[in-house]
C-alpha cells in the first residue's frame, strides 16, 4: 500500500493516517510530525525549520526531502506507507516520483472540506506535548481537562494553530492545491473524499477510495 493524503490544514489527514496505520500496519509518515520532532531535538536542521513552521509557510524542499527520505527508509520493512502532508507542491511530487522510482504512489486521497469547518477544527485541536496524540475540545475531547488520555502528558495548542499562522497556512494551501491535484488527476490516481463528515464516516470513505474492505 503506497498512499498519500492531501488536504488543507485541519482537514483530518493526520487523524485518518494514524487510524489506517493502526488498523493495517502501514507506516504513517507525516512530514509535519517529523519536522516538529526535529525542532524539538534542537538540531541545526530543526532550528532552520522552526521559523518556517511557526510562520505557517513551507519549509524549504532540501530540508523536507531529507527528513522524508529518512522516514521512507525506516518504513521499508512495513507493509507500505501513508504519506501525510507530503507532497504539497508539484516540484515535491516530482521529487517523490524520483525517490520512489519503480514503485510509485498507488492512490492519492484528497480531503475536501469548507474553510469554516477547518477553522473550528484548528481552534479546538489540542496535542499532547509528550506523545503527540491529538484531541479536539469539541469533537474528540480528553477525559480530563488538558491531560492526554494515553500518557497523562500536558495538552497544548500547536504554535502554528494561532490565527495569523492558520491564515498563512490556508493561503499556502490554496496556492498549491489545484496544480498538485491536477498532477495526480492526470495520472489517474487521485480520489477525493468528503472530509466534513464524522471521523468514522471519513475513515470508511478513505477505505473505499483506496479499494480496501472495511474490517471494523
Ligand atoms: P502539518 O503538521 O502537516 O500541518 P497541516 O498540513 O497544516 O495539517 P494539520 O496537521 O494541521 O491537520 P490535519 O489535516 O492532519 O488534521 P488533524 O487530523 O490533525 O505541517 C505543519 C507545517 O510543517 C506546515 O505548515 C509547514 O510549515 C511544514 N511542512 C509539513 N509538510 C511540509 C512539506 N511537505 N513541505 C514543506 N513544509 C512542510 O485534525 C485537526 C483537528 O480536527 C484535530 O483536533 C482532530 O481531532 C479533529 N478532527 C479530525 N477529523 C475530524 C472529523 N472528521 N470531525 C471532527 N473533528 C475532526
Amino acid at each position: 500500500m503506497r498512499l498519500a493524503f492531501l488536504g488543507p490544514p485541519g482537514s483530518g489527514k493526520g487523524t485518518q493516517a494514524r487510524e489506517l496505520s493502526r488498523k493495517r500496519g502501514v507506516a504513517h509518515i507525516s512530514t509535519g510530525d517529523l519536522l516538529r520532532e526535529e525542532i524539538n531535538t534542537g538540531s541545526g536542521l530543526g532550528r532552520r525549520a522552526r521559523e518556517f513552521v511557526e510562520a505557517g509557510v513551507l519549509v524549504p524542499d532540501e530540508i523536507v526531502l531529507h527528513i522524508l527520505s529518512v522516514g521512507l527508509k525506516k518504513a521499508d520493512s512495513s507493509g507500505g506507507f501513508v504519506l501525510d502532508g507530503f507532497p504539497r507542491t508539484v516540484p515535491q511530487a516530482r521529487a517523490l516520483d524520483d525517490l520512489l522510482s519503480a514503485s510509485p504512489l498507488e492512490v492519492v486521497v484528497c480531503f475536501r472540506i469548507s474553510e469554516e469547518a477547518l477553522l473550528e477544527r484548528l481552534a479546538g485541536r489540542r496535542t499532547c506535548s509528550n506523545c503527540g496524540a491529538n484531541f479536539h475540545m469539541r469533537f474528540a475531547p480528553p477525559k480530563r481537562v488538558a491531560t492526554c488520555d494515553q500518557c497523562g502528558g500536558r495538552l497544548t495548542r500547536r504554535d502554528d494553530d494561532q490565527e495569523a499562522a492558520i491564515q498563512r497556512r490556508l493561503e499556502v494551501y490554496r496556492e498549491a492545491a489545484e496544480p498538485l491535484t491536477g498532477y495526480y488527476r492526470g495520472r489517474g490516481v487521485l480520489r477525493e473524499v468528503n472530509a466534513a463528515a464524522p471521523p468514522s464516516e471519513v475513515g470508511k470513505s478513505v477505505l473505499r477510495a483506496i479499494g480496501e474492505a472495511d474490517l471494523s
Side-chain angles (χ1 to χ4, degrees):
M1 202 185 277
R2 295 182 303 279
L3 312 172
F5 287 179
L6 317 180
S11 56
K13 306 178 296 292
T15 301
Q16 295 301 332
R18 269 186 289 276
E19 192 58 11
L20 191 66
S21 168
R22 190 182 65 77
K23 282 186 176 160
R24 302 295 157 104
V26 292
H28 171 203
I29 306 175
S30 156
T31 41
D33 286 350
L34 292 172
L35 284 166
R36 281 183 289 276
E37 279 165 25
E38 195 66 44
I39 290 169
N40 287 339
T41 66
S43 70
L45 206 66
R47 285 200 302 276
R48 281 180 64 206
R50 171 174 231 132
E51 61 179 300
F52 298 96
V53 172
E54 287 184 357
V57 297
L58 295 182
V59 172
D61 283 356
E62 80 217 51
I63 299 179
V64 181
L65 284 166
H66 172 74
I67 62 155
L68 174 75
S69 51
V70 173
L72 281 170
K73 276 200 193 96
K74 279 192 196 154
D76 258 357
S77 53
S78 328
F81 58 79
V82 51
L83 298 180
D84 160 14
F86 191 97
R88 297 190 188 224
T89 62
V90 172
Q92 286 190 357
R94 293 210 175 97
L96 180 63
D97 287 345
D98 289 344
L99 270 176
L100 298 178
S101 59
S103 310
L105 290 176
E106 293 162 312
V107 182
V108 173
V109 181
C110 181
F111 287 58
R112 295 282 184 197
I113 183 169
S114 72
E115 287 201 2
E116 196 188 355
L118 294 176
L119 294 177
E120 187 180 12
R121 288 195 187 175
L122 293 172
R125 172 165 57 190
R126 297 293 180 274
T127 305
C128 176
S129 47
N130 182 44
C131 72
N134 245 326
F135 296 85
H136 191 281
M137 299 314 286
R138 180 169 167 214
F139 302 124
K143 293 191 181 81
R144 285 189 296 145
V145 181
T147 306
C148 177
D149 290 353
Q150 290 170 30
C151 74
R154 196 167 56 91
L155 300 185
T156 56
R157 201 166 169 183
R158 259 169 54 175
D159 288 338
D160 62 347
D161 276 351
Q162 311 301 330
E163 183 59 25
I166 289 176
Q167 288 305 333
R168 192 71 195 109
R169 286 158 65 204
L170 288 171
E171 279 165 30
V172 168
Y173 179 77
R174 274 187 230 119
E175 271 166 37
E178 278 315 310
L180 184 61
T181 49
Y183 181 85
Y184 286 118
R185 194 174 289 114
R187 297 184 164 216
V189 293
L190 186 76
R191 307 282 179 273
E192 298 190 312
V193 297
N194 170 19
S200 60
E201 291 302 313
V202 180
K204 286 178 186 163
S205 303
V206 168
L207 288 176
R208 276 195 298 276
I210 65 174
E212 287 274 316
D214 184 1
L215 305 175
S216 61

